């Protein structure tokens, strides 16, 4: 009986063991399947994460490209507006110069005749004095009324002043016409010194002494230069931008100094030219102002950067100057500044251009 019970118990255990083995095998299969599913899902998740990372990187790149494109468009728009303004200004200056030149030339051309006529009349009056020392009372009264002796002296001085004045106007008109140079849209060999002198003449009102400061000294240290191939009007614009900035810097510096301090250390702008390596012309324009702070020196040629008050500067002058020199002329524009001592801008362009046309 006991053996039978043991046999039944063993059979039950074996059956239970078989059931357990099957469940264990099923659990192993399910575990393997689960591990496979997890590995697949991990792979898919990593793939999705990588794709998202790539998408984010691409999105950032595209966003940066769009931002750069927008900045370029803003810069291009500002440069086009500035170019249009300069073109319109050049046309206006040339037109005004032409309109002034016509009547001034008429006056200047007739001054020599008026001067000769006046000398002849005065000589005739002196002959009357010599041969008719005692004229009638009416003539003597009129001589005293008009102060003939003073008139004889002052008439010559007035004519000389008029001659000097008209010559000065003719020089200014010529400078305006040469500065605009509307008829020179292509590279052309020009006298750089003439362009600098024309720009200085246009700005001469800012060099003169005022109640607050003495005259700003202009020192020319010109080398022996041959004609330089360039866009003359655009190069003159660069000279104008640099000189205006130098004048602004000196005025700002002088506002912080007394009249006596300025007299002891006068404001000056030094312009020097030279030939470098027989192939380049170098134009250096230096002032003895307060210099450019180191914190902003890297931004000087950036579009829209300005330290001037709102409404006084657009921040495009030096950016456009840099473009004119580097892109249009294949040259270099750099500056050296020591805070408290001044700033020097250096322009270098080839004497002869190697390109056929720059757009």
């Amino acid at each position: 009986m006991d053996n039978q019970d043991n046999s039944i118990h063993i059979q039950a255990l074996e059956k239970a063991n078989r059931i357990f083995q099957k469940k264990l095998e099923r659990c192993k299969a399910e575990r393997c399947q689960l591990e496979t599913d997890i590995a697949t899902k991990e792979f898919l998740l990593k793939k999705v994460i990588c794709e998202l990372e790539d998408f984010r990187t691409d999105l950032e790149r595209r966003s940066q490209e769009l931002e750069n494109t927008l900045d370029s468009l803003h810069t291009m728009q500002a440069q086009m507006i500035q170019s249009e303004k300069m073109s319109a200004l050049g046309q206006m200056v040339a037109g005004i110069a032409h309109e002034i030149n016509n009547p001034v030339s008429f006056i200047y051309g007739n001054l020599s005749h008026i001067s000769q006529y006046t000398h002849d009349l005065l000589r005739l009056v002196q002959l009357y004095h010599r041969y008719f020392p005692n004229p009638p009372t009416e003539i003597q009264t009129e001589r005293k009324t008009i102060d003939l002796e003073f008139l004889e002296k002052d008439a010559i001085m007035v004519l000389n002043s008029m001659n000097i004045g008209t010559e000065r106007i003719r020089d200014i008109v010529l400078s305006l016409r040469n500065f605009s140079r509307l008829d020179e849209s292509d590279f052309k060999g020009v006298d750089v010194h003439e362009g600098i002198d024309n720009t200085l003449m246009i700005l001469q009102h800012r060099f003169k002494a005022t109640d607050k400061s003495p005259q700003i000294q202009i020192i020319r240290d010109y080398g022996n230069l041959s004609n330089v191939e360039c866009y003359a009007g655009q190069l003159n614009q660069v000279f104008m931008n640099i000189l205006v900035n130098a004048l602004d810097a000196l005025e700002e510096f002088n506002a912080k100094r007394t009249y006596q301090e300025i007299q002891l250390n006068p404001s000056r702008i030094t312009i020097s030219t030279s030939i470098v390596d027989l192939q380049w012309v170098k134009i250096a324009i230096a002032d003895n102002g307060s210099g450019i702070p180191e914190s902003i020196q890297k931004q000087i040629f950036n579009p829209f950067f300005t330290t001037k008050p709102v409404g006084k500067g657009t921040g495009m002058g030096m950016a456009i100057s840099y473009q004119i020199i580097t892109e249009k002329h294949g040259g270099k524009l750099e500056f050296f500044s020591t805070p408290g001592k001044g700033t020097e801008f250096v322009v270098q362009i080839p004497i002869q251009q190697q390109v056929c046309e720059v757009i």
Side-chain angles (χ1 to χ4, degrees), residues 4-39:
Q4 187 177 1
D5 290 339
N6 288 335
S7 176
I8 294 171
H9 184 67
I10 290 171
Q11 289 177 357
L13 288 173
E14 289 176 348
K15 183 179 179 181
N17 185 48
R18 287 194 299 271
I19 294 172
F20 178 75
Q21 288 293 333
K22 288 181 179 180
K23 288 183 177 180
L24 184 61
E25 290 175 358
R26 188 164 57 248
C27 286
K28 287 181 178 179
E30 289 178 353
R31 189 189 68 177
C32 289
Q33 183 63 41
L34 185 60
E35 288 178 350
T36 302
D37 291 344
I38 290 174

Side-chain angles (χ1 to χ4, degrees), residues 37 85 179 277 287 292 331 345:
D37 291 344
K85 285 182 178 179
F179 179 83
D277 297 333
D287 66 71
I292 301 173
F345 278 87

Side-chain angles (χ1 to χ4, degrees), residues 224-237:
N224 186 17
L225 304 184
S226 57
N227 285 353
V228 178
E229 291 183 359
C230 63
Y231 290 113
Q234 294 183 10
L235 191 61
N236 289 342
Q237 183 182 347

Side-chain angles (χ1 to χ4, degrees), residues 61-111:
R61 180 180 59 80
R62 289 176 179 270
S63 177
Q64 186 63 44
E65 288 178 354
L66 287 173
E67 186 176 346
N68 293 338
T69 301
L70 185 61
D71 290 341
S72 297
L73 287 173
H74 284 160
T75 302
M76 187 181 300
Q77 182 186 31
Q79 290 174 346
M80 288 178 66
I81 292 173
Q82 186 73 7
S83 296
E84 287 297 324
K85 285 182 178 179
M86 290 304 299
S87 177
L89 179 62
Q91 292 178 2
M92 184 182 70
V93 166
I96 292 174
H98 177 72
E99 293 300 324
I100 294 175
N101 187 60
N102 287 337
V104 168
S105 296
F106 178 78
I107 295 172
Y108 184 79
N110 285 289
L111 271 177

Side-chain angles (χ1 to χ4, degrees), residues 45 49 85 105-106 125 145 157 173 191-192 219 236 295 327 344 347 358:
L45 183 60
I49 291 173
K85 285 182 178 179
S105 296
F106 178 78
V125 169
T145 301
M157 295 176 63
V173 168
D191 183 353
V192 171
I219 301 174
N236 289 342
S295 59
E327 297 182 15
E344 180 184 47
V347 175
V358 178

Side-chain angles (χ1 to χ4, degrees), residues 45-323:
L45 183 60
K46 289 180 180 179
K47 184 178 180 182
V48 169
I49 291 173
C50 289
E51 290 178 351
L52 287 174
E53 287 291 333
D54 292 341
F55 180 74
R56 183 177 66 83
T57 303
D58 185 62
L59 188 62
E60 290 178 351
R61 180 180 59 80
R62 289 176 179 270
S63 177
Q64 186 63 44
E65 288 178 354
L66 287 173
E67 186 176 346
N68 293 338
T69 301
L70 185 61
D71 290 341
S72 297
L73 287 173
H74 284 160
T75 302
M76 187 181 300
Q77 182 186 31
Q79 290 174 346
M80 288 178 66
I81 292 173
Q82 186 73 7
S83 296
E84 287 297 324
K85 285 182 178 179
M86 290 304 299
S87 177
L89 179 62
Q91 292 178 2
M92 184 182 70
V93 166
I96 292 174
H98 177 72
E99 293 300 324
I100 294 175
N101 187 60
N102 287 337
V104 168
S105 296
F106 178 78
I107 295 172
Y108 184 79
N110 285 289
L111 271 177
S112 59
H113 302 299
I114 291 294
S115 180
Q116 184 62 47
Y117 299 160
T118 302
H119 279 88
D120 292 343
L121 288 173
L122 290 177
R123 189 168 62 253
L124 180 61
V125 169
Q126 290 172 358
L127 288 174
Y128 272 107
H129 289 172
R130 183 186 305 171
Y131 293 105
F132 300 96
N134 297 311
T137 304
E138 184 178 356
I139 294 178
Q140 293 184 16
T141 302
E142 186 65 22
R143 282 179 58 180
K144 292 180 181 179
T145 301
I146 66 174
D147 195 355
L148 183 61
E149 287 74 14
F150 170 78
L151 188 149
E152 288 175 341
K153 296 177 181 178
D154 195 53
I156 302 300
M157 295 176 63
V158 168
L159 286 171
N160 290 336
S161 296
M162 290 175 64
N163 192 60
I164 294 172
T166 51
E167 286 182 352
R168 183 66 175 165
I169 294 173
R170 282 166 58 88
D171 290 340
I172 293 173
V173 168
L174 181 61
S175 295
L176 289 172
R177 294 176 65 180
N178 289 339
F179 179 83
S180 61
R181 290 187 180 271
L182 293 178
D183 56 334
E184 296 179 11
S185 58
D186 296 327
F187 278 120
K188 183 178 180 181
V190 299
D191 183 353
V192 171
H193 294 156
E194 182 184 16
I196 297 172
D197 291 339
N198 290 332
T199 307
L200 289 173
M201 179 168 287
I202 294 172
L203 293 172
Q204 64 178 331
H205 64 284
R206 298 194 58 182
F207 303 140
K208 294 180 179 179
T210 65
D211 297 336
K212 297 181 180 179
S213 63
Q215 180 178 353
I216 295 176
Q217 299 177 0
I218 303 297
I219 301 174
R220 295 175 174 88
D221 183 17
Y222 291 167
N224 186 17
L225 304 184
S226 57
N227 285 353
V228 178
E229 291 183 359
C230 63
Y231 290 113
Q234 294 183 10
L235 191 61
N236 289 342
Q237 183 182 347
V238 173
F239 297 151
M240 176 71 77
N241 290 335
I242 295 175
L243 286 168
V244 166
N245 282 346
L247 288 166
D248 290 342
L250 289 173
E251 288 179 359
E252 183 179 349
F253 184 49
N254 289 340
K256 302 174 184 177
R257 301 196 295 169
T258 64
Y259 196 91
Q260 290 72 23
E261 289 175 334
I262 300 174
Q263 282 184 317
L264 291 174
N265 183 23
S267 298
R268 64 180 179 275
I269 295 175
T270 303
I271 306 171
S272 59
T273 62
S274 59
I275 298 293
V276 178
D277 297 333
L278 301 177
Q279 297 180 347
W280 297 74
V281 60
K282 175 181 176 182
I283 305 103
I285 301 176
D287 66 71
N288 63 336
S290 58
I292 301 173
E294 292 183 3
S295 59
I296 64 171
Q297 289 187 8
K298 293 182 179 180
Q299 305 178 66
I300 294 301
F301 297 123
N302 290 349
F304 308 110
F305 176 78
T306 179
T307 59
K308 298 176 183 178
V310 176
K312 190 174 181 181
T314 63
M316 291 302 297
M318 295 314 301
I320 289 176
S321 296
Y322 188 82
Q323 181 190 37

